[in-house]
Amino acid sequence: MNVSVIGAGHVGLVTAACFADLGHTVWVVNRNTEKAAAINAGKPPFHEQGLEELLIRHAGTNLFAGTGYDPIAQCDLIFICVGTPSAKDGNADLSLVKAASLSVGDALRETERDHVVVVKSTVPPGSTERLVRPAVLEQAGRNDIGFAANPEFLREGYGVEDFQYPDRIVIGSNDQQTLNQVTAAYDGINAPILKTGITAAEMIKYASNAFLATKISFANEMGNICKQLGVDVYEVMQGVGMDHRISPHFLNAGVGFGGPCLQKDTSALIRLAENLGEEPQLLPSVLEVNEGQPLRMVTLLEHRIGSLAGKRIAVLGLAFKAETDDVRDSRAISVIRSLLDKGAVVVAYDPIAIPAMRCIFPEITYCTDEREALKEADACLIMTEWPQFSMLDDAFEGMRAQVVIEGRRILTCGTREGLCW
Ligand code: UDX
């Protein structure tokens, strides 16, 4: 099929590359000419496992990137994959979705063929019907275009794997022909396909991310209680997770969830509920627990070494998780801010996220490796689970005092203390 993808972020570019690998001809439309040139040269503009080899294999053959919307006139399916960041009030900012819809409508004005517009961006339930459909149809001056919602469930860094081996494919549409068209795009992917209404499909995405966030905050609340009991929460959650109704996944207690999605989507769902006249109780508490976890790291540190004023604190792990340079909503941000507020001298290290964090905290010292960060440090906070952080026993020797607190469960040395264990 001829497919276009609007937006070349982690979702759009992974989707485009994987559709190309399924044999479709794919046009990627994005605002940035440098990014388009990099894609056409087979160079991914960010880290996603397996993406580079897909781009090398398909760029210039059946995957093309550019900034113009012209190619979509010849496309059967047009996937909108632009970002929907949080607005200041917690609502989803849909300005990029609106702009993309208008541009898509413009490009479909004169064509003589069938098209389906598919919203893959995470949007508040109701957005495809209330925002995308009218914007496209008005701009196109026609009403014979199909619409669908097809949310993604990709983990950043593992998007190719999650696209090619999904637990499920969700396709929402109100007409059978559109459902068939979008289903055909996934020929070759071996996974159950759930066909449902458009708004239900949008809600499945929000409810999935809100539940993942809830599982993590539940594990953290149990962890905080277990810490007081002197019980290892990982032993407890191992027992809990053996219940097939619960599953062992996403029950890792620690410094909490960061990243561009879980907080954003849970907040947007809360705002949506309130706009509908509901007063959600559970979801706000999920976010409150999460906001408290990083500050517990600092409180625990103060219990261990007293006042932080003038103390040299090494922070290892700056991104929102290991294997990524993405610092969006990273738990390290509130930890570093709190340490600085308390007069600590912060030295930081991360294998790949230093350039990103330097934009947020230009004033702290960034080190070239863990050993340099730990040298003469009064304490160390470990914020992400990079495997290399689990082999620091001799590097800890270089500290002024071996006070090591981990917010992710990776260390084995006896001296370490866990946030919830
Ligand atoms: C998440 C969802 O997993 C994915 O399905 C959705 O499409 C986008 O949001 P992502 O945010 O990329 O993916 O990363 P993920 O691996 O889910 O981790 C999110 C955050 O939760 C990270 O900060 C991670 O450290 C934290 N986490 C994850 C926990 O604290 N405990 C866990 O058990 C799992």
Side-chain angles (χ1 to χ4, degrees):
M1 300 172 88
N2 287 338
V3 174
S4 61
V5 171
I6 316 296
H10 286 266
V11 172
L13 190 51
V14 164
T15 297
C18 291
F19 273 142
D21 210 43
L22 287 175
H24 301 302
T25 300
V26 185
W27 282 271
V28 182
V29 178
N30 89 107
R31 294 176 293 182
N32 181 312
T33 43
E34 290 78 38
K35 202 179 210 183
I39 294 165
N40 290 329
K43 294 190 177 63
F46 40 69
H47 175 77
E48 280 288 342
Q49 269 179 12
L51 179 59
E52 183 161 27
E53 60 197 85
L54 291 181
L55 291 185
I56 289 169
R57 191 182 308 158
H58 297 291
T61 309
N62 62 321
L63 185 143
F64 308 93
T67 54
Y69 277 78
D70 303 351
I72 75 168
Q74 58 196 333
C75 287
D76 309 294
L77 300 176
I78 297 120
F79 285 83
I80 296 180
C81 301
V82 294
T84 54
S86 269
K88 288 225 180 334
D89 62 3
N91 279 301
D93 173 355
L94 298 180
S95 54
L96 292 175
V97 172
K98 174 88 184 265
S101 302
L102 293 172
S103 301
V104 165
D106 257 345
L108 300 183
R109 179 176 286 279
E110 309 299 333
T111 76
E112 296 298 318
R113 57 175 298 155
D114 292 342
H115 303 284
V116 171
V117 174
V118 187
V119 178
K120 188 172 275 292
S121 299
T122 300
V123 293
S127 301
T128 300
E129 290 294 50
R130 275 204 317 274
L131 172 70
V132 176
R133 182 195 293 268
V136 170
L137 294 183
E138 248 164 68
Q139 212 62 21
R142 57 193 280 193
N143 60 9
D144 58 345
I145 294 171
F147 290 85
N150 172 224
E152 48 77 25
F153 304 98
L154 310 179
R155 292 166 297 154
E156 190 165 312
Y158 306 92
V160 171
E161 176 189 337
D162 291 345
F163 186 103
Q164 294 180 336
Y165 303 97
D167 290 331
R168 77 300 203 189
I169 295 167
V170 172
I171 304 173
S173 181
N174 304 330
D175 76 84
Q176 195 53 49
Q177 187 189 345
T178 299
L179 278 171
N180 296 342
Q181 281 272 70
V182 181
T183 302
Y186 287 92
D187 275 355
I189 300 282
N190 176 22
I193 296 187
L194 176 66
K195 298 177 182 178
T196 180
I198 289 185
T199 303
E202 293 165 328
M203 187 62 188
I204 288 169
K205 172 63 182 176
Y206 267 62
S208 297
N209 271 8
F211 188 70
L212 291 169
T214 302
K215 279 194 94 170
I216 295 169
S217 283
F218 176 80
N220 286 334
E221 184 128 291
M222 293 306 108
N224 296 337
I225 297 167
C226 288
K227 182 77 180 173
Q228 301 303 333
L229 284 168
V231 166
D232 183 348
V233 66
Y234 277 74
E235 275 179 54
V236 170
M237 299 317 267
Q238 185 182 2
V240 169
M242 291 167 85
D243 184 319
H244 75 279
R245 296 167 302 177
I246 297 171
S247 108
H249 305 294
F250 257 69
L251 290 175
N252 297 337
V255 74
F257 56 83
C261 299
L262 295 188
Q263 161 85 28
K264 163 179 83 76
D265 295 347
T266 306
S267 301
L269 186 51
I270 292 167
R271 292 285 104 53
L272 173 78
E274 290 165 348
N275 296 342
L276 294 168
E278 284 295 322
E279 288 179 22
Q281 315 284 318
L282 178 65
L283 296 179
S285 62
V286 168
L287 297 184
E288 280 156 37
V289 169
N290 197 53
E291 282 315 298
Q293 289 306 102
L295 304 180
R296 282 174 172 264
M297 288 283 277
V298 179
T299 305
L300 186 52
L301 179 60
E302 286 176 312
H303 282 326
R304 293 286 300 274
I305 66 172
S307 163
L308 302 185
K311 297 276 174 55
R312 183 184 171 92
I313 311 298
V315 176
L316 302 187
L318 301 175
F320 81 91
K321 63 178 180 178
E323 311 292 344
T324 180
D325 64 355
D326 191 342
V327 295
R328 285 178 290 180
D329 207 27
S330 167
R331 302 291 85 193
I333 293 173
S334 39
V335 166
I336 292 171
R337 186 161 293 121
S338 174
L339 292 173
L340 293 175
D341 289 348
K342 293 174 183 288
V345 173
V346 177
V347 289
Y349 172 73
D350 183 286
I352 55 176
I354 286 177
M357 192 57 100
R358 198 191 297 276
C359 299
I360 299 175
F361 293 110
E363 72 274 31
I364 68 174
T365 304
Y366 295 95
C367 299
T368 52
D369 59 28
E370 299 92 333
R371 189 175 297 278
E372 184 192 342
L374 290 166
K375 198 165 174 343
E376 293 303 303
D378 295 295
C380 167
L381 302 181
I382 296 196
M383 303 300 294
T384 57
E385 58 282 50
W386 277 98
Q388 65 199 68
F389 291 166
S390 63
M391 296 174 274
L392 293 174
D393 295 15
D394 62 336
F396 290 140
E397 305 286 334
M399 295 174 72
R400 193 174 299 155
Q402 287 198 35
V403 176
V404 179
I405 297 174
E406 57 175 357
R408 302 287 177 204
R409 176 86 164 221
I410 48 159
L411 296 179
T412 51
C413 58
T415 51
R416 65 99 165 98
E417 176 172 5
L419 177 63
C420 301
W421 51 90

